[in-house]
Amino acid sequence: MRETLSHQVAVPRPLSPDPAGQAIRRANRIRRRRTTGGLALAAVATVLVSTVMAQLGDDSGGQGTPIVVIGDPNPSARPIPSAAPAPAPSPGTSLDLLVDGTLISATGGRLELSGVGPAEAAHLLPGGGGWLVVGAPTAAGRSLWVAQRDGLVQVLLAGAGAIVVAPDGRQVAWRDGTGLLVAGVVGTQLIGPVRTSLPADAEPVRFVGDSVLVRLDPDRAGHALWRPGAGQLTVGVDRTTLSIYGALPDGRLVGQVAAGDTSGTCLAVLDPKRDLKRVSTGCGPQLSEDGVGGISADGRWLLVNGRVGKAARALLVDLQRFGPDMTAVPAGPPATGAIAWTTDSDATYVDGAGQLVRVDVGRVRAGNQAQAVPAPDVQPGNRPVVVTGS
């Protein structure tokens, strides 16, 4: 009996399952896996940032390399959008506004954009998930910010020259030293930058489809188009185009050109596929040379700065009556900055006093000029910015 019991004690028995031990071992495995994955992601991000910065920093002309931010460095620091809706921006205004660092939606909701500062332009991102904000020019250059509706605000570019955003909000072009760069906008990142060289005084002014329109000299007439990925910028034969106001539905452009035999200017329809060759010309209205203007989405109406006698006014031009004897109807005070067409017959802009002007085509054609109304929360020295693309 003693020998039998001693044999039973000597034989090892399988241990019963230990849930706590299993959980600890599983947590250790997950921790090791996450640590390895995090180091790998950090290495990839470092290589990616280095590659992008090298591409952007090449031949910068001494202005410094623009900053490209990847990811969300500190999501816990996001400001919280105001839950209570504020008063609507203005009766009849159906677009977002940027007022002194605060985005005010058409419904009255407000979102503080911490750190953005004075802005030059703002554009809605695709899908309405946020905004791209172009900072006002400073001694250090311009900046580009992305602001999301959940309160995340990040800088995408800093120290850049002129910055333009595509109408659909999916691309950005900017001058960096002696170069022009174009990159795609995906979330809070700029991807796939492409670069070309620019003449000394040239700068991007707008997108035309997937191409970038470049004004060759701010003090002289002449533009060129550059299509990223199709080679370097080639300066064409155009030396008469002063401003481009936008595109018609068929892709042709409407711009202001020198009249030639007089000191005045005219409107012209231009073919972007043939070095901005004139297709037709329409003269008559007295146009300002400040380049401010915008075309309705259906291509019917042009709202542009000009003069009626000696008075500076915004003019409404019917592009369906384009020709040698075309006329313009005074629409309101002169515009500053972007003109936002919210429908095919309604446009909103900011005048020289920082007030909002809403143009109703039907009322203007009936002889009732648009009136300026105060924008919300505007303090002396500040100017609201209309959000385009909304």
Side-chain angles (χ1 to χ4, degrees):
M1 177 65 67
R2 186 180 298 107
E3 185 177 357
T4 300
L5 292 176
S6 64
H7 281 302
Q8 290 179 350
V9 172
V11 175
R13 295 182 178 273
L15 297 175
S16 60
D18 181 6
Q22 290 177 348
I24 293 173
R25 287 190 294 274
R26 187 180 301 112
N28 289 333
R29 286 196 301 271
I30 293 173
R31 186 181 300 108
R32 287 194 298 271
R33 193 179 302 120
R34 286 180 176 176
T35 300
T36 303
L39 291 174
L41 288 174
V44 171
T46 301
V47 172
L48 182 57
V49 171
S50 300
T51 302
V52 173
M53 296 294 280
Q55 289 176 338
L56 299 181
D58 181 42
D59 191 22
S60 64
Q63 285 192 0
T65 302
I67 299 171
V68 179
V69 178
I70 296 178
D72 183 358
N74 186 12
S76 64
R78 302 180 185 182
I80 300 176
S82 60
S90 171
T93 300
S94 57
L95 79 170
D96 298 343
L97 296 173
L98 180 58
V99 180
D100 193 24
T102 300
L103 273 165
I104 305 177
S105 70
T107 58
R110 300 178 184 230
L111 177 62
E112 300 290 336
L113 303 186
S114 176
V116 170
E120 182 176 63
H123 196 91
L124 191 68
L125 284 170
W131 305 265
L132 288 173
V133 179
V134 179
T138 66
R142 289 178 173 84
S143 57
L144 176 68
W145 302 77
V146 59
Q148 296 182 336
R149 292 191 182 275
D150 63 358
L152 171 63
V153 179
Q154 287 184 200
V155 62
L156 296 181
L157 291 171
I163 300 174
V164 294
V165 179
D168 61 4
R170 299 182 186 277
Q171 295 185 87
V172 173
W174 69 96
R175 174 148 192 162
D176 173 31
T178 60
L180 171 64
L181 292 96
V182 173
V185 180
V186 177
T188 58
Q189 301 179 31
L190 296 179
I191 64 170
V194 181
R195 185 186 186 105
T196 189
S197 298
L198 277 182
D201 297 317
E203 62 181 22
V205 291
R206 68 168 59 243
F207 275 84
V208 177
D210 290 329
S211 299
V212 181
L213 182 72
V214 176
R215 181 154 188 174
L216 302 176
D217 189 321
D219 298 322
R220 299 178 182 177
H223 289 76
L225 281 168
W226 174 55
R227 183 176 179 83
Q232 296 295 302
L233 172 69
T234 301
V235 177
V237 298
D238 172 48
R239 292 297 182 275
T240 61
T241 304
L242 295 166
S243 302
I244 303 291
Y245 300 122
L248 299 173
D250 61 6
R252 295 179 301 167
L253 307 177
V254 176
Q256 181 185 169
V257 297
D261 56 348
T262 68
S263 59
T265 63
C266 297
L267 290 173
V269 176
L270 310 167
D271 187 350
K273 298 179 180 179
R274 295 188 291 167
D275 288 330
L276 303 176
K277 181 180 177 62
R278 293 191 200 181
V279 177
S280 58
T281 304
C283 301
Q286 293 180 283
L287 302 175
S288 169
E289 294 187 19
D290 59 9
V292 176
I295 299 175
S296 60
D298 63 355
R300 173 72 185 274
W301 306 105
L302 167 66
L303 193 60
V304 60
N305 279 350
R307 303 187 70 85
V308 178
K310 295 184 178 180
R313 308 299 294 171
L315 306 177
L316 182 68
V317 179
D318 186 351
L319 296 179
Q320 284 191 352
R321 298 184 178 181
F322 204 92
D325 299 319
M326 65 189 306
T327 59
V329 180
T336 62
I339 295 176
W341 283 89
T342 52
T343 70
D344 291 337
S345 60
D346 289 277
T348 301
Y349 62 86
V350 178
D351 69 3
Q355 299 190 99
L356 290 176
V357 181
R358 176 177 175 265
V359 175
D360 181 290
V361 169
R363 288 180 54 81
V364 168
R365 295 185 69 196
N368 300 309
Q369 293 191 40
Q371 300 298 316
V373 296
D377 297 347
V378 175
Q379 302 297 323
N382 294 329
R383 185 180 299 276
V385 174
V386 296
V387 178
T388 54
S390 58

